[in-house]
Amino acid sequence: MRETILLFHFIDTDQRNRLVRALFPLRMKIKEISREDYGNPVGYLAGNKELVPEKELVTGEEISGQMLVMAGLSSGRVDQVLRALRKARIFVPYKAVLTTANQSWNVWELFEEIKKEHEKMSDLK
């Protein structure tokens, strides 16, 4: 799978453009996902041809925050993405790496799991 960054709910075009510019030197595919595709498996959205899209997509609410999903990246490349975001002072509250465990989840399922983890981490501070 090609190194891909999936973007969800980036309604601030200035921030989205800054993010794209910050990640451009890493030469990864950056793909913005619209709410109409949220019912599909996240792995499918990232380009995994083995996963099939949903025939009848479930429509739902927009997720409540920005989410960035990194697919097909080594741990070193994940670190490079995180460094580039920090350097550009771009804060994305919900970030995830696509795994075999979460690739079949739809966007709402992945977002809820990341949100729970984020809240647990915030409670530990």
Side-chain angles (χ1 to χ4, degrees):
M1 177 185 307
R2 182 175 174 202
E3 294 180 322
T4 303
I5 303 291
L6 302 177
L7 304 178
F8 303 88
H9 193 58
F10 277 79
I11 54 176
D12 181 341
T13 55
D14 180 55
Q15 184 188 27
R16 180 180 38 81
N17 291 341
R18 286 182 34 241
L19 184 143
V20 169
R21 280 194 304 275
L23 297 179
F24 182 77
L26 300 178
R27 304 183 63 82
M28 296 176 184
K29 180 179 179 181
I30 300 172
K31 185 176 177 184
E32 199 165 353
I33 306 298
S34 65
R35 187 179 59 158
E36 292 78 30
D37 288 321
Y38 285 8
N40 283 310
V42 178
Y44 170 78
L45 297 173
N48 183 343
K49 303 298 184 211
E50 294 174 9
L51 295 170
V52 293
E54 292 296 320
K55 291 186 179 163
E56 290 187 31
L57 288 180
V58 177
T59 56
E61 297 293 316
E62 181 62 76
I63 57 177
S64 60
Q66 297 170 328
M67 182 170 68
L68 180 146
V69 176
M70 297 168 270
L73 280 67
S74 67
S75 61
R77 292 289 276 170
V78 169
D79 290 342
Q80 288 178 345
V81 169
L82 298 177
R83 267 194 303 275
L85 294 176
R86 266 194 307 277
K87 184 177 178 183
R89 292 192 166 103
I90 298 169
F91 176 70
V92 180
Y94 305 106
K95 295 177 280 300
V97 173
L98 188 70
T99 66
T100 54
N102 66 21
Q103 70 178 346
S104 61
W105 298 355
N106 68 38
V107 174
W108 296 293
E109 293 167 330
L110 180 60
F111 181 79
E112 285 306 313
E113 184 63 27
I114 295 170
K115 188 175 174 186
K116 284 181 206 169
E117 291 175 10
H118 190 267
E119 289 167 357
K120 284 180 187 175
M121 298 285 281
S122 296
D123 289 344
L124 295 176
K125 291 182 181 179

